Amino acid sequence: MSNHAPIAPDASRSTAPVLAVRGLTKRYPGVLALDGMVLEVRPREVVGLIGENGAGKSTLLKSLVGLAQPDSGSIVVRGEEVRLRGVAHAASVGIGMVFQEQSLVPNISVAENILLGAEGAGVRGGLFRWHRMAELAQVQLDKIGSAVSPRARTDSLTFAQRQMVEVAKVLALEERTAHEPVVLLDEPTSVLEREEVETLFAQVRRLRERASVVFVSHRLDEVLEISDRVYVLRNGRVVAEVDPAEVDATDLHHLLVGRESTGSHYHDDAQQEPAGDVRLSVRELQTAGCDKVSFEIRSGEVLGVAGVQGSGREELCRALFGAMPGARGQVLLDGRPLRLDSPRAAVLAGVGYVPSERRTEGVVSSMSVTENLSMAHVGTVCRGPLIDGRRERELVDTWVRRLGIRTPSGDTAIGTLSGGNQQKVVLARWMVSEGLRLLILDHPTRGLDVGAKSEVYELIRELAASGCAVLLLSDTLEEALAMSHRVLVMKDGRITACLDAPRGGKPDPVAIMEAMV
């Protein structure tokens, strides 16, 4: 049984649904994304929505804001069937969304993003009134307790800060509609620290006083904590509707993937002690965010790096891949100096990198699975100066089968795949190379469901067993401890602790937290 206690529904309100989905079906080439989807959202409640990658969550949400047009079925808003023609149309009937893959315009201010398309008093006579724009945006930022300046350029913010701006942007819907809004939150906590999650949840509870909320998350404990009802999706259909007071995270996991959640989730038995020599040696590395960082990784070792947002761990990863201009220090890979001036030099030396922002840095959404998988090693599929199409297809088909990548074909645009399958393609890109010596994983399971995470963990174990060294940044401390042989802790750009994490002897999380903060 769950210990969570969601806010009781407002008995004074009508239970007639404010939003209803009736038999929604949506097909893409080779994929049935929605298969007769049916669900309801009632006034002033929080509805949790969970499902593995590819279960239909994203397609459903896109349909509810007019970004995808269903092939059949209907969407009913406050008793009237609507055919939503886009985000602006959805907003006009009171539906807004915080996107998992952020939708902010990077080269304009926070205020402009929050008020985009609904500037109101921020514009007079066709001219922006910048002071008034900042005031209007500040109202929304204050709702979530954000310290971000409305005048800041959006691309100067961290990923987590931009996520909170996304939330503030949707909250502005309250002032734009006469109806009680429906707010769709697609993985809003995926990059937030616990304190930021609590701030967001407080805002969701405040919203609930005059809005309905659909909350999508792969963090099952969060879904139980904040939701009044939870829908479980699988293969484009609702397979269960549950009361959070009557289930726990293990129950939800079983409904999601049809098996119990156990320690095998992290493939603990596959953790082997690294027997190789030092693969990477870092001495006095300095760059923006890192101050004289020194450590070593052995062949076959998974080294976790723990730290809060701004601790310097993300900058460390980017510096080692040659993506931080001005980085300096002594870095040796198998005893030879590793150039820090370009990603190309890192790749040629046998270093791979899986970035945290999959959509903007990990894949080219408009390109095919084949092109995304082979792009870092075009030379392996060339015959002379030209790409050998047959050799390339054989290579991709091999890795699609080996990793169980769910795609209609190698020619399918990678942007149409689920997040978990996109991530498998990004991992396969580096596993293709026989010369891979170090793989840097920056939050490799971010936004993935429990099943896809387990598959990624298995791949990490295989890579380590093959002798590859792995530098791992995790979304959770639990993941870092479970997957690593050792854990480095960073704070303010420096390493504050290094703890052994052998199988059966993981360190106390409290000790790590103390070193982090």
Side-chain angles (χ1 to χ4, degrees):
M1 297 292 289
S2 172
N3 295 321
H4 302 294
I7 303 172
D10 187 346
S12 67
R13 302 292 298 175
S14 167
T15 57
V18 65
L19 174 66
V21 173
R22 308 291 189 212
L24 224 56
T25 299
K26 176 65 178 178
R27 293 180 181 273
Y28 294 104
V31 177
L32 180 58
L34 298 179
D35 184 14
M37 180 73 66
V38 176
L39 59 80
E40 294 181 347
V41 180
R42 299 163 192 157
R44 300 187 185 183
E45 73 167 349
V46 179
V47 173
L49 200 62
I50 63 173
E52 292 196 275
N53 289 105
K57 303 183 303 297
S58 293
T59 302
L60 173 62
L61 295 186
K62 288 177 181 178
S63 298
L64 294 177
V65 291
L67 291 177
Q69 295 300 318
D71 299 322
S72 61
S74 60
I75 298 172
V76 180
V77 179
R78 286 177 287 276
E80 294 187 11
E81 184 174 339
V82 297
R83 187 170 184 83
L84 299 169
R85 298 184 298 274
V87 174
H89 185 202
S92 72
V93 299
I95 302 175
M97 180 172 168
V98 173
F99 294 86
Q100 176 186 359
E101 304 289 0
Q102 295 180 344
S103 62
L104 301 177
V105 180
N107 61 343
I108 64 176
S109 70
V110 168
E112 289 171 280
N113 266 296
I114 290 175
L115 302 172
L116 190 63
E119 290 81 1
V123 173
R124 177 176 293 174
L127 299 176
F128 282 105
R129 303 167 65 201
W130 296 110
H131 181 71
R132 184 58 177 151
M133 287 277 288
E135 289 179 340
L136 292 171
Q138 189 65 56
V139 171
Q140 309 307 324
L141 292 167
D142 287 344
K143 290 179 180 178
I144 54 174
S146 174
V148 170
S149 168
R151 294 180 172 85
R153 261 181 65 118
T154 304
D155 56 8
S156 71
L157 306 181
T158 65
F159 193 93
Q161 287 173 325
R162 296 198 303 271
Q163 188 75 323
M164 297 303 279
V165 173
E166 287 268 15
V167 175
K169 179 179 178 179
V170 166
L171 294 183
L173 189 66
E174 292 181 295
E175 281 79 37
R176 300 178 192 174
T177 176
H179 305 292
E180 291 191 346
V182 178
V183 177
L184 313 178
L185 302 177
D186 188 9
E187 294 287 348
T189 64
S190 61
V191 299
L192 304 185
E193 303 293 341
R194 186 60 207 179
E195 183 178 343
E196 294 170 316
V197 171
E198 291 295 342
T199 298
L200 176 63
F201 279 8
Q203 191 57 33
V204 170
R205 293 185 174 99
R206 186 199 68 81
L207 260 179
R208 200 180 171 286
E209 297 174 2
R210 59 155 301 193
S212 301
V213 179
V214 177
F215 181 82
V216 178
S217 178
H218 292 310
R219 297 179 178 178
L220 303 185
D221 56 337
E222 293 181 355
V223 174
L224 290 171
E225 179 179 347
I226 200 66
S227 303
D228 299 306
R229 290 184 299 124
V230 178
Y231 284 106
V232 183
L233 274 58
R234 192 187 308 154
N235 298 325
R237 301 179 66 90
V238 171
V239 296
E241 177 188 343
V242 298
D243 182 342
E246 297 178 355
V247 297
D248 58 20
T250 301
D251 297 326
L252 292 184
H253 185 282
H254 182 64
L255 289 169
L256 280 171
V257 298
R259 60 183 182 270
E260 297 293 342
S261 176
T262 67
S264 63
H265 178 60
Y266 292 109
H267 303 276
D268 302 10
D269 294 343
Q271 178 170 329
Q272 305 173 11
E273 284 305 303
D277 296 330
V278 172
R279 169 59 52 85
L280 180 75
S281 174
V282 178
R283 293 286 178 269
E284 303 283 305
L285 177 65
Q286 288 189 275
T287 187
C290 294
D291 184 15
K292 297 183 178 179
V293 171
S294 300
F295 63 92
E296 293 179 343
I297 310 178
R298 297 167 65 188
S299 298
E301 181 178 23
V302 179
L303 180 66
V305 185
V308 300
Q309 194 79 29
S311 62
R313 57 182 188 153
E314 286 84 5
E315 291 82 357
L316 169 63
C317 286
R318 297 180 71 84
L320 292 175
F321 193 62
M324 288 289 289
R328 61 187 186 277
Q330 184 187 62
V331 180
L332 303 178
L333 186 65
D334 287 336
R336 296 183 177 181
L338 176 66
R339 289 171 53 189
L340 303 177
D341 56 354
S342 76
R344 176 178 172 78
V347 172
L348 290 175
V351 180
Y353 175 53
V354 176
S356 59
E357 298 192 40
R358 181 172 55 244
R359 191 184 78 167
T360 57
E361 296 183 329
V363 302
V364 182
S365 297
S366 60
M367 293 173 64
S368 69
V369 170
T370 295
E371 291 167 321
N372 272 277
L373 196 154
S374 63
M375 66 170 55
H377 306 284
V378 174
T380 64
V381 294
C382 283
R383 189 180 300 274
L386 302 176
I387 292 177
D388 184 331
R390 179 180 175 183
R391 183 181 297 179
E392 186 179 41
R393 284 192 299 273
E394 289 176 350
L395 176 73
V396 171
D397 288 346
T398 296
W399 284 97
V400 165
R401 288 194 301 270
R402 180 172 175 182
L403 301 188
I405 299 170
R406 297 175 186 173
T407 176
S409 74
D411 296 328
T412 301
I414 196 171
T416 66
L417 304 188
S418 69
N421 286 297
Q422 289 183 25
Q423 195 72 319
K424 287 183 187 178
V425 173
V426 176
L427 286 167
R429 177 188 300 156
W430 300 112
M431 296 175 75
V432 162
S433 172
E434 295 181 359
L436 182 66
R437 296 189 279 175
L438 169 68
L439 182 59
I440 302 168
L441 300 175
D442 188 353
H443 299 84
T445 62
R446 174 171 290 168
L448 302 190
D449 62 67
V450 288
K453 284 182 179 180
S454 183
E455 292 172 339
V456 170
Y457 298 148
E458 185 175 18
L459 294 176
I460 295 172
R461 297 291 191 203
E462 289 180 8
L463 280 166
S466 72
C468 181
V470 179
L471 186 66
L472 174 66
L473 274 65
S474 295
D475 267 340
T476 66
L477 187 55
E478 174 189 342
E479 179 180 278
L481 290 175
M483 292 302 301
S484 302
H485 295 91
R486 289 182 299 135
V487 179
L488 294 181
V489 186
M490 292 190 68
K491 176 184 176 183
D492 298 331
R494 291 177 173 269
I495 293 174
T496 55
C498 180
L499 299 92
D500 289 331
R503 187 175 69 189
K506 300 297 181 179
D508 184 356
V510 174
I512 293 181
M513 290 298 296
E514 289 176 347
M516 285 170 56
V517 299

